[in-house]
Amino acid sequence: MNSFLPNYFAMVILRCVVVSILVSAQLVYAAEPSDTSITFTFAPPTETRYTETVHITRQKQATTGGMRTDELTSSSNISIQQTPVGWEVVVKPAEYGLKLNGRRVLDPFADLQSKVTITHHLDSKGQIINTDVDYAALMNLLSRELPPQELANVTPMIQQKAGELREKAAAEWKARVGEFIGRTARVGDVWEQDVSFADPVKGERSCRVRTEVSAVEACPAGSCVRITQTFYSSPADNSSLGAAIGTLTRLVDPSTMLIYEEKAEAAMEGEKETRVYEFLYRQ
């Protein structure tokens, strides 16, 4: 499998974001009291539907010399509906394409993964109860391509990959939406979180996440909030911020938690990655 998505580099950044929601945040700067306090609430319009597209570019030194550039474009059709206990968010992949140094390539499992529907079951506040991956549909797709014995041989790996996909999808929802639900802040507020996590490649790792409510801006919803996050490697003595390894900016409507812009950039251990998200909402 091509290591483009998911990959070790993105995994470290994602774990910094995800684990940070599990620890207490320390407010390091509070804006002066004003009438502009903002409370983040998950309350999208009934039957919200939109397409989310992400363009990912990753550059790293090639083993043969020169730079290797991977480009991924992936889009999903997303629907949000209320249920008796809260909300249901259904993510159905629509398009997927991968290029290596400008040439289109095939990643068999990633291509298969891009056809699998993911469903988040949320409580009334928008926090995740559980996340489902349509494993049956995944196995059905494989059964059309593989003879029974080969299918049996790869089933354990597919089960593992499906579990990883479920964990990643739930973690991204929590980092992008769940972390903010119920929080009240003002423009200029900054908080930091120190996190540690088990990295299967390099053992125990740590990072610090600095989040700022940086501005109120016009957006298609009327008025949105600009969230800026910076990810730092934590120094050994934990006395100050280490080297910045990534930044993220997101424009979100705090009254619905619908996102209208998002861009993330990271650089670590010789690799650079940029992610740009686009959102097309339907009336």
Side-chain angles (χ1 to χ4, degrees):
M1 173 182 173
N2 187 286
S3 62
F4 182 80
L5 185 67
N7 60 77
Y8 164 72
F9 178 57
M11 177 193 71
V12 171
I13 298 295
L14 177 61
R15 285 174 182 256
C16 283
V17 178
V18 171
V19 182
S20 70
I21 70 175
L22 305 178
V23 300
S24 297
Q26 178 183 3
L27 185 67
V28 297
Y29 178 77
E32 291 296 325
S34 68
D35 296 330
T36 59
S37 62
I38 302 156
T39 299
F40 295 90
T41 305
F42 185 78
T46 302
E47 296 189 357
T48 294
R49 299 179 184 277
Y50 63 99
T51 298
E52 177 180 308
T53 302
V54 58
H55 304 279
I56 304 175
T57 302
R58 182 159 61 102
Q59 292 183 315
K60 66 178 181 178
Q61 191 71 31
T63 56
T64 55
M67 295 297 295
R68 164 177 165 162
T69 300
D70 296 332
E71 299 172 274
L72 170 71
T73 298
S74 177
S75 63
S76 299
N77 294 322
I78 301 173
S79 64
I80 305 176
Q81 298 187 34
Q82 285 189 288
T83 68
V85 298
W87 304 84
E88 183 180 81
V89 181
V90 180
V91 183
K92 294 185 176 181
E95 295 183 10
Y96 170 87
L98 176 64
K99 293 182 179 180
L100 171 59
N101 292 334
R103 298 179 61 182
R104 189 171 296 277
V105 296
L106 177 65
D107 179 339
F109 184 78
D111 183 61
L112 187 67
Q113 174 181 299
S114 71
K115 297 180 175 64
V116 177
T117 297
I118 296 172
T119 303
H120 299 298
H121 302 281
L122 313 177
D123 64 18
S124 60
K125 295 182 179 180
Q127 300 290 4
I128 281 187
I129 300 173
N130 60 64
T131 296
D132 293 331
V133 171
D134 194 347
Y135 177 73
L138 181 60
M139 294 304 295
N140 185 46
L141 287 170
L142 278 173
S143 68
R144 301 175 189 174
E145 304 292 335
L146 300 175
Q149 185 57 50
E150 289 188 30
L151 181 62
N153 291 338
V154 301
T155 293
M157 181 193 71
I158 298 302
Q159 290 175 329
Q160 177 185 349
K161 294 296 184 181
E164 292 173 355
L165 179 60
R166 182 185 305 109
E167 178 183 355
K168 177 178 180 289
E172 288 184 345
W173 177 269
K174 292 175 183 178
R176 299 171 76 191
V177 179
E179 175 184 2
F180 296 91
I181 293 174
R183 178 183 288 275
T184 297
R186 294 181 175 89
V187 173
D189 279 0
V190 177
W191 60 92
E192 292 179 0
Q193 296 145 301
D194 287 317
V195 300
S196 61
F197 57 91
D199 182 334
V201 178
K202 299 208 171 185
E204 190 71 14
R205 299 286 296 252
S206 62
C207 71
R208 184 172 296 180
V209 184
R210 184 182 180 93
T211 302
E212 179 179 3
V213 180
S214 53
V216 173
E217 301 179 16
C219 69
S223 180
C224 287
V225 174
R226 176 75 62 183
I227 300 294
T228 303
Q229 292 183 307
T230 307
F231 309 99
Y232 299 88
S233 58
S234 295
D237 61 3
N238 205 34
S239 60
S240 61
L241 293 177
I245 56 176
T247 60
L248 179 148
T249 179
R250 179 182 299 124
L251 189 65
V252 58
D253 178 358
S255 67
T256 63
M257 292 307 300
L258 296 181
I259 302 170
Y260 289 90
E261 293 179 15
E262 184 169 330
K263 181 178 181 179
E265 296 180 305
M268 185 172 63
E269 299 175 1
E271 296 187 17
K272 296 181 179 180
E273 181 174 296
T274 301
R275 297 186 177 217
V276 178
Y277 293 80
E278 299 173 355
F279 303 89
L280 176 62
Y281 288 89
R282 297 174 175 81
Q283 300 297 326

